[in-house]
PDB file of all heavy atoms in Angstrom:
ATOM      1  N   THR V  91     -23.572  18.780 -15.152  1.00  0.00           N
ATOM      2  CA  THR V  91     -23.797  19.470 -13.885  1.00  0.00           C
ATOM      3  C   THR V  91     -23.391  20.933 -14.031  1.00  0.00           C
ATOM      4  O   THR V  91     -22.193  21.249 -14.039  1.00  0.00           O
ATOM      5  CB  THR V  91     -22.984  18.815 -12.752  1.00  0.00           C
ATOM      6  OG1 THR V  91     -23.307  17.427 -12.677  1.00  0.00           O
ATOM      7  CG2 THR V  91     -23.280  19.481 -11.414  1.00  0.00           C
ATOM      8  N   ARG V  97     -20.451  27.328  -4.937  1.00  0.00           N
ATOM      9  CA  ARG V  97     -20.216  25.892  -4.832  1.00  0.00           C
ATOM     10  C   ARG V  97     -19.085  25.509  -5.786  1.00  0.00           C
ATOM     11  O   ARG V  97     -18.800  26.228  -6.751  1.00  0.00           O
ATOM     12  CB  ARG V  97     -21.477  25.096  -5.206  1.00  0.00           C
ATOM     13  CG  ARG V  97     -22.732  25.526  -4.471  1.00  0.00           C
ATOM     14  CD  ARG V  97     -22.742  25.040  -3.038  1.00  0.00           C
ATOM     15  NE  ARG V  97     -23.033  23.619  -2.951  1.00  0.00           N
ATOM     16  CZ  ARG V  97     -23.083  22.946  -1.796  1.00  0.00           C
ATOM     17  NH1 ARG V  97     -22.835  23.565  -0.646  1.00  0.00           N
ATOM     18  NH2 ARG V  97     -23.360  21.658  -1.788  1.00  0.00           N
ATOM     19  N   LYS V  98     -18.435  24.397  -5.522  1.00  0.00           N
ATOM     20  CA  LYS V  98     -17.403  23.908  -6.432  1.00  0.00           C
ATOM     21  C   LYS V  98     -17.800  22.525  -6.915  1.00  0.00           C
ATOM     22  O   LYS V  98     -18.495  21.774  -6.213  1.00  0.00           O
ATOM     23  CB  LYS V  98     -16.030  23.879  -5.763  1.00  0.00           C
ATOM     24  CG  LYS V  98     -15.893  22.918  -4.589  1.00  0.00           C
ATOM     25  CD  LYS V  98     -14.495  22.998  -3.986  1.00  0.00           C
ATOM     26  CE  LYS V  98     -14.341  22.071  -2.773  1.00  0.00           C
ATOM     27  NZ  LYS V  98     -13.009  22.188  -2.130  1.00  0.00           N
ATOM     28  N   ARG V  99     -17.363  22.197  -8.114  1.00  0.00           N
ATOM     29  CA  ARG V  99     -17.664  20.887  -8.701  1.00  0.00           C
ATOM     30  C   ARG V  99     -16.406  20.016  -8.677  1.00  0.00           C
ATOM     31  O   ARG V  99     -15.329  20.456  -9.083  1.00  0.00           O
ATOM     32  CB  ARG V  99     -18.170  21.035 -10.128  1.00  0.00           C
ATOM     33  CG  ARG V  99     -19.526  21.706 -10.246  1.00  0.00           C
ATOM     34  CD  ARG V  99     -19.957  21.824 -11.707  1.00  0.00           C
ATOM     35  NE  ARG V  99     -19.039  22.685 -12.462  1.00  0.00           N
ATOM     36  CZ  ARG V  99     -19.036  22.785 -13.793  1.00  0.00           C
ATOM     37  NH1 ARG V  99     -19.892  22.064 -14.520  1.00  0.00           N
ATOM     38  NH2 ARG V  99     -18.171  23.587 -14.393  1.00  0.00           N
ATOM     39  N   ILE V 100     -16.593  18.804  -8.201  1.00  0.00           N
ATOM     40  CA  ILE V 100     -15.506  17.834  -8.133  1.00  0.00           C
ATOM     41  C   ILE V 100     -15.930  16.574  -8.880  1.00  0.00           C
ATOM     42  O   ILE V 100     -16.965  15.975  -8.569  1.00  0.00           O
ATOM     43  CB  ILE V 100     -15.163  17.460  -6.669  1.00  0.00           C
ATOM     44  CG1 ILE V 100     -14.902  18.717  -5.829  1.00  0.00           C
ATOM     45  CG2 ILE V 100     -13.987  16.507  -6.628  1.00  0.00           C
ATOM     46  CD1 ILE V 100     -13.723  19.534  -6.281  1.00  0.00           C
ATOM     47  N   LEU V 102     -15.693  12.756  -9.636  1.00  0.00           N
ATOM     48  CA  LEU V 102     -15.291  11.576  -8.872  1.00  0.00           C
ATOM     49  C   LEU V 102     -15.337  10.325  -9.727  1.00  0.00           C
ATOM     50  O   LEU V 102     -16.292  10.127 -10.505  1.00  0.00           O
ATOM     51  CB  LEU V 102     -16.211  11.381  -7.662  1.00  0.00           C
ATOM     52  CG  LEU V 102     -16.217  12.498  -6.620  1.00  0.00           C
ATOM     53  CD1 LEU V 102     -17.362  12.282  -5.638  1.00  0.00           C
ATOM     54  CD2 LEU V 102     -14.891  12.564  -5.883  1.00  0.00           C
ATOM     55  N   VAL V 104     -15.063   6.305  -8.936  1.00  0.00           N
ATOM     56  CA  VAL V 104     -14.998   5.281  -7.893  1.00  0.00           C
ATOM     57  C   VAL V 104     -14.942   3.922  -8.567  1.00  0.00           C
ATOM     58  O   VAL V 104     -15.896   3.489  -9.205  1.00  0.00           O
ATOM     59  CB  VAL V 104     -16.217   5.368  -6.950  1.00  0.00           C
ATOM     60  CG1 VAL V 104     -16.136   4.276  -5.883  1.00  0.00           C
ATOM     61  CG2 VAL V 104     -16.295   6.742  -6.306  1.00  0.00           C
ATOM     62  N   ARG V 124     -17.678   3.781 -11.243  1.00  0.00           N
ATOM     63  CA  ARG V 124     -18.796   4.715 -11.104  1.00  0.00           C
ATOM     64  C   ARG V 124     -18.259   6.140 -11.161  1.00  0.00           C
ATOM     65  O   ARG V 124     -17.230   6.446 -10.571  1.00  0.00           O
ATOM     66  CB  ARG V 124     -19.505   4.488  -9.775  1.00  0.00           C
ATOM     67  CG  ARG V 124     -20.674   5.436  -9.490  1.00  0.00           C
ATOM     68  CD  ARG V 124     -21.176   5.273  -8.061  1.00  0.00           C
ATOM     69  NE  ARG V 124     -21.589   3.904  -7.793  1.00  0.00           N
ATOM     70  CZ  ARG V 124     -21.963   3.479  -6.588  1.00  0.00           C
ATOM     71  NH1 ARG V 124     -21.932   4.316  -5.542  1.00  0.00           N
ATOM     72  NH2 ARG V 124     -22.344   2.229  -6.415  1.00  0.00           N
ATOM     73  N   ALA V 126     -19.285  10.401 -10.801  1.00  0.00           N
ATOM     74  CA  ALA V 126     -20.274  11.333 -10.265  1.00  0.00           C
ATOM     75  C   ALA V 126     -19.643  12.712 -10.179  1.00  0.00           C
ATOM     76  O   ALA V 126     -18.422  12.843 -10.029  1.00  0.00           O
ATOM     77  CB  ALA V 126     -20.753  10.876  -8.892  1.00  0.00           C
ATOM     78  N   CYS V 127     -20.474  13.740 -10.281  1.00  0.00           N
ATOM     79  CA  CYS V 127     -20.009  15.114 -10.144  1.00  0.00           C
ATOM     80  C   CYS V 127     -20.574  15.675  -8.847  1.00  0.00           C
ATOM     81  O   CYS V 127     -21.764  15.943  -8.740  1.00  0.00           O
ATOM     82  CB  CYS V 127     -20.454  15.955 -11.338  1.00  0.00           C
ATOM     83  SG  CYS V 127     -19.746  17.628 -11.344  1.00  0.00           S
ATOM     84  N   ALA V 128     -19.720  15.804  -7.849  1.00  0.00           N
ATOM     85  CA  ALA V 128     -20.153  16.325  -6.551  1.00  0.00           C
ATOM     86  C   ALA V 128     -20.104  17.844  -6.579  1.00  0.00           C
ATOM     87  O   ALA V 128     -19.142  18.438  -7.063  1.00  0.00           O
ATOM     88  CB  ALA V 128     -19.261  15.787  -5.446  1.00  0.00           C
ATOM     89  N   GLN V 129     -21.139  18.438  -6.045  1.00  0.00           N
ATOM     90  CA  GLN V 129     -21.196  19.901  -5.956  1.00  0.00           C
ATOM     91  C   GLN V 129     -21.229  20.257  -4.465  1.00  0.00           C
ATOM     92  O   GLN V 129     -22.218  20.015  -3.777  1.00  0.00           O
ATOM     93  CB  GLN V 129     -22.432  20.436  -6.676  1.00  0.00           C
ATOM     94  CG  GLN V 129     -22.301  21.867  -7.140  1.00  0.00           C
ATOM     95  CD  GLN V 129     -23.291  22.187  -8.245  1.00  0.00           C
ATOM     96  OE1 GLN V 129     -24.474  21.890  -8.127  1.00  0.00           O
ATOM     97  NE2 GLN V 129     -22.825  22.796  -9.324  1.00  0.00           N
ATOM     98  N   VAL V 130     -20.136  20.792  -3.988  1.00  0.00           N
ATOM     99  CA  VAL V 130     -19.952  20.966  -2.552  1.00  0.00           C
ATOM    100  C   VAL V 130     -19.505  22.389  -2.231  1.00  0.00           C
ATOM    101  O   VAL V 130     -19.223  23.197  -3.118  1.00  0.00           O
ATOM    102  CB  VAL V 130     -18.924  19.957  -2.005  1.00  0.00           C
ATOM    103  CG1 VAL V 130     -19.465  18.534  -2.085  1.00  0.00           C
ATOM    104  CG2 VAL V 130     -17.606  20.055  -2.776  1.00  0.00           C
ATOM    105  N   ALA V 131     -19.416  22.671  -0.932  1.00  0.00           N
ATOM    106  CA  ALA V 131     -18.987  23.998  -0.476  1.00  0.00           C
ATOM    107  C   ALA V 131     -17.538  24.257  -0.888  1.00  0.00           C
ATOM    108  O   ALA V 131     -16.757  23.315  -1.064  1.00  0.00           O
ATOM    109  CB  ALA V 131     -19.128  24.094   1.041  1.00  0.00           C
ATOM    110  N   ALA V 134     -14.886  22.393   1.104  1.00  0.00           N
ATOM    111  CA  ALA V 134     -15.140  20.971   1.350  1.00  0.00           C
ATOM    112  C   ALA V 134     -13.901  20.128   1.045  1.00  0.00           C
ATOM    113  O   ALA V 134     -13.110  20.432   0.148  1.00  0.00           O
ATOM    114  CB  ALA V 134     -16.308  20.487   0.510  1.00  0.00           C
ATOM    115  N   THR V 135     -13.762  19.049   1.783  1.00  0.00           N
ATOM    116  CA  THR V 135     -12.645  18.124   1.572  1.00  0.00           C
ATOM    117  C   THR V 135     -13.027  17.070   0.529  1.00  0.00           C
ATOM    118  O   THR V 135     -14.194  16.938   0.148  1.00  0.00           O
ATOM    119  CB  THR V 135     -12.275  17.410   2.886  1.00  0.00           C
ATOM    120  OG1 THR V 135     -13.398  16.608   3.302  1.00  0.00           O
ATOM    121  CG2 THR V 135     -11.926  18.407   3.970  1.00  0.00           C
ATOM    122  N   ALA V 136     -12.025  16.312   0.129  1.00  0.00           N
ATOM    123  CA  ALA V 136     -12.276  15.210  -0.802  1.00  0.00           C
ATOM    124  C   ALA V 136     -13.206  14.181  -0.173  1.00  0.00           C
ATOM    125  O   ALA V 136     -14.051  13.584  -0.857  1.00  0.00           O
ATOM    126  CB  ALA V 136     -10.960  14.559  -1.207  1.00  0.00           C
ATOM    127  N   ALA V 137     -13.059  13.964   1.138  1.00  0.00           N
ATOM    128  CA  ALA V 137     -13.914  13.008   1.835  1.00  0.00           C
ATOM    129  C   ALA V 137     -15.372  13.461   1.797  1.00  0.00           C
ATOM    130  O   ALA V 137     -16.289  12.641   1.641  1.00  0.00           O
ATOM    131  CB  ALA V 137     -13.442  12.843   3.278  1.00  0.00           C
ATOM    132  N   GLU V 138     -15.612  14.755   1.932  1.00  0.00           N
ATOM    133  CA  GLU V 138     -16.979  15.283   1.877  1.00  0.00           C
ATOM    134  C   GLU V 138     -17.568  15.134   0.484  1.00  0.00           C
ATOM    135  O   GLU V 138     -18.755  14.812   0.333  1.00  0.00           O
ATOM    136  CB  GLU V 138     -16.990  16.735   2.338  1.00  0.00           C
ATOM    137  CG  GLU V 138     -16.696  16.912   3.818  1.00  0.00           C
ATOM    138  CD  GLU V 138     -16.527  18.369   4.209  1.00  0.00           C
ATOM    139  OE1 GLU V 138     -15.785  19.102   3.520  1.00  0.00           O
ATOM    140  OE2 GLU V 138     -17.137  18.775   5.212  1.00  0.00           O
ATOM    141  N   ALA V 139     -16.756  15.352  -0.533  1.00  0.00           N
ATOM    142  CA  ALA V 139     -17.229  15.163  -1.904  1.00  0.00           C
ATOM    143  C   ALA V 139     -17.563  13.698  -2.155  1.00  0.00           C
ATOM    144  O   ALA V 139     -18.586  13.370  -2.761  1.00  0.00           O
ATOM    145  CB  ALA V 139     -16.170  15.647  -2.897  1.00  0.00           C
ATOM    146  N   LEU V 140     -16.708  12.794  -1.672  1.00  0.00           N
ATOM    147  CA  LEU V 140     -16.949  11.371  -1.843  1.00  0.00           C
ATOM    148  C   LEU V 140     -18.213  10.941  -1.106  1.00  0.00           C
ATOM    149  O   LEU V 140     -19.006  10.148  -1.619  1.00  0.00           O
ATOM    150  CB  LEU V 140     -15.742  10.568  -1.343  1.00  0.00           C
ATOM    151  CG  LEU V 140     -15.841   9.050  -1.427  1.00  0.00           C
ATOM    152  CD1 LEU V 140     -15.960   8.593  -2.883  1.00  0.00           C
ATOM    153  CD2 LEU V 140     -14.630   8.392  -0.764  1.00  0.00           C
ATOM    154  N   ALA V 141     -18.407  11.475   0.097  1.00  0.00           N
ATOM    155  CA  ALA V 141     -19.580  11.114   0.889  1.00  0.00           C
ATOM    156  C   ALA V 141     -20.873  11.537   0.191  1.00  0.00           C
ATOM    157  O   ALA V 141     -21.898  10.863   0.313  1.00  0.00           O
ATOM    158  CB  ALA V 141     -19.494  11.760   2.271  1.00  0.00           C
ATOM    159  N   GLN V 142     -20.832  12.642  -0.545  1.00  0.00           N
ATOM    160  CA  GLN V 142     -22.024  13.090  -1.252  1.00  0.00           C
ATOM    161  C   GLN V 142     -22.421  12.131  -2.367  1.00  0.00           C
ATOM    162  O   GLN V 142     -23.595  11.961  -2.671  1.00  0.00           O
ATOM    163  CB  GLN V 142     -21.791  14.489  -1.854  1.00  0.00           C
ATOM    164  CG  GLN V 142     -23.023  15.095  -2.491  1.00  0.00           C
ATOM    165  CD  GLN V 142     -22.737  16.419  -3.158  1.00  0.00           C
ATOM    166  OE1 GLN V 142     -22.562  16.495  -4.372  1.00  0.00           O
ATOM    167  NE2 GLN V 142     -22.686  17.480  -2.364  1.00  0.00           N
ATOM    168  N   ALA V 143     -21.436  11.462  -2.945  1.00  0.00           N
ATOM    169  CA  ALA V 143     -21.714  10.644  -4.128  1.00  0.00           C
ATOM    170  C   ALA V 143     -21.678   9.140  -3.877  1.00  0.00           C
ATOM    171  O   ALA V 143     -22.201   8.382  -4.704  1.00  0.00           O
ATOM    172  CB  ALA V 143     -20.710  10.983  -5.230  1.00  0.00           C
ATOM    173  N   ALA V 144     -21.075   8.697  -2.776  1.00  0.00           N
ATOM    174  CA  ALA V 144     -20.864   7.245  -2.635  1.00  0.00           C
ATOM    175  C   ALA V 144     -21.045   6.766  -1.198  1.00  0.00           C
ATOM    176  O   ALA V 144     -20.244   5.991  -0.691  1.00  0.00           O
ATOM    177  CB  ALA V 144     -19.480   6.869  -3.147  1.00  0.00           C
ATOM    178  N   LYS V 145     -22.079   7.212  -0.522  1.00  0.00           N
ATOM    179  CA  LYS V 145     -22.368   6.713   0.831  1.00  0.00           C
ATOM    180  C   LYS V 145     -22.822   5.264   0.764  1.00  0.00           C
ATOM    181  O   LYS V 145     -23.338   4.825  -0.255  1.00  0.00           O
ATOM    182  CB  LYS V 145     -23.453   7.569   1.479  1.00  0.00           C
ATOM    183  CG  LYS V 145     -22.999   8.961   1.876  1.00  0.00           C
ATOM    184  CD  LYS V 145     -24.150   9.694   2.558  1.00  0.00           C
ATOM    185  CE  LYS V 145     -23.723  11.082   3.009  1.00  0.00           C
ATOM    186  NZ  LYS V 145     -24.840  11.813   3.653  1.00  0.00           N
ATOM    187  N   PRO V 146     -22.664   4.514   1.893  1.00  0.00           N
ATOM    188  CA  PRO V 146     -21.978   4.911   3.125  1.00  0.00           C
ATOM    189  C   PRO V 146     -20.482   4.663   3.046  1.00  0.00           C
ATOM    190  O   PRO V 146     -20.028   3.746   2.375  1.00  0.00           O
ATOM    191  CB  PRO V 146     -22.628   4.005   4.173  1.00  0.00           C
ATOM    192  CG  PRO V 146     -22.944   2.747   3.412  1.00  0.00           C
ATOM    193  CD  PRO V 146     -23.336   3.199   2.028  1.00  0.00           C
ATOM    194  N   LEU V 147     -19.732   5.505   3.757  1.00  0.00           N
ATOM    195  CA  LEU V 147     -18.294   5.340   3.858  1.00  0.00           C
ATOM    196  C   LEU V 147     -17.964   4.736   5.225  1.00  0.00           C
ATOM    197  O   LEU V 147     -18.710   4.902   6.176  1.00  0.00           O
ATOM    198  CB  LEU V 147     -17.569   6.676   3.713  1.00  0.00           C
ATOM    199  CG  LEU V 147     -17.881   7.503   2.470  1.00  0.00           C
ATOM    200  CD1 LEU V 147     -17.074   8.797   2.500  1.00  0.00           C
ATOM    201  CD2 LEU V 147     -17.606   6.723   1.193  1.00  0.00           C
ATOM    202  N   TYR V 149     -14.544   4.247   7.906  1.00  0.00           N
ATOM    203  CA  TYR V 149     -13.150   4.519   8.238  1.00  0.00           C
ATOM    204  C   TYR V 149     -12.770   3.731   9.483  1.00  0.00           C
ATOM    205  O   TYR V 149     -13.633   3.367  10.285  1.00  0.00           O
ATOM    206  CB  TYR V 149     -12.930   6.012   8.509  1.00  0.00           C
ATOM    207  CG  TYR V 149     -13.126   6.916   7.312  1.00  0.00           C
ATOM    208  CD1 TYR V 149     -14.382   7.414   6.985  1.00  0.00           C
ATOM    209  CD2 TYR V 149     -12.056   7.273   6.503  1.00  0.00           C
ATOM    210  CE1 TYR V 149     -14.572   8.252   5.890  1.00  0.00           C
ATOM    211  CE2 TYR V 149     -12.224   8.105   5.403  1.00  0.00           C
ATOM    212  CZ  TYR V 149     -13.482   8.596   5.105  1.00  0.00           C
ATOM    213  OH  TYR V 149     -13.659   9.418   4.026  1.00  0.00           O
ATOM    214  N   VAL V 158     -16.253   2.060   0.641  1.00  0.00           N
ATOM    215  CA  VAL V 158     -16.981   3.069  -0.135  1.00  0.00           C
ATOM    216  C   VAL V 158     -18.267   2.424  -0.627  1.00  0.00           C
ATOM    217  O   VAL V 158     -18.235   1.313  -1.165  1.00  0.00           O
ATOM    218  CB  VAL V 158     -16.141   3.574  -1.334  1.00  0.00           C
ATOM    219  CG1 VAL V 158     -16.939   4.571  -2.169  1.00  0.00           C
ATOM    220  CG2 VAL V 158     -14.839   4.203  -0.846  1.00  0.00           C
ATOM    221  N   SER V 159     -19.383   3.111  -0.420  1.00  0.00           N
ATOM    222  CA  SER V 159     -20.697   2.547  -0.737  1.00  0.00           C
ATOM    223  C   SER V 159     -20.891   1.192  -0.048  1.00  0.00           C
ATOM    224  O   SER V 159     -21.475   0.265  -0.607  1.00  0.00           O
ATOM    225  CB  SER V 159     -20.901   2.410  -2.251  1.00  0.00           C
ATOM    226  OG  SER V 159     -20.950   3.683  -2.852  1.00  0.00           O
TER     227      SER V 159
END
Side-chain angles (χ1 to χ4, degrees):
T91 304
R97 308 285 285 179
K98 64 181 178 183
R99 293 180 297 168
I100 307 297
L102 298 169
V104 179
R124 178 189 302 174
C127 187
Q129 204 160 49
V130 292
T135 64
E138 291 172 312
L140 179 63
Q142 186 184 99
K145 288 182 178 179
L147 306 180
Y149 294 87
V158 177
S159 294

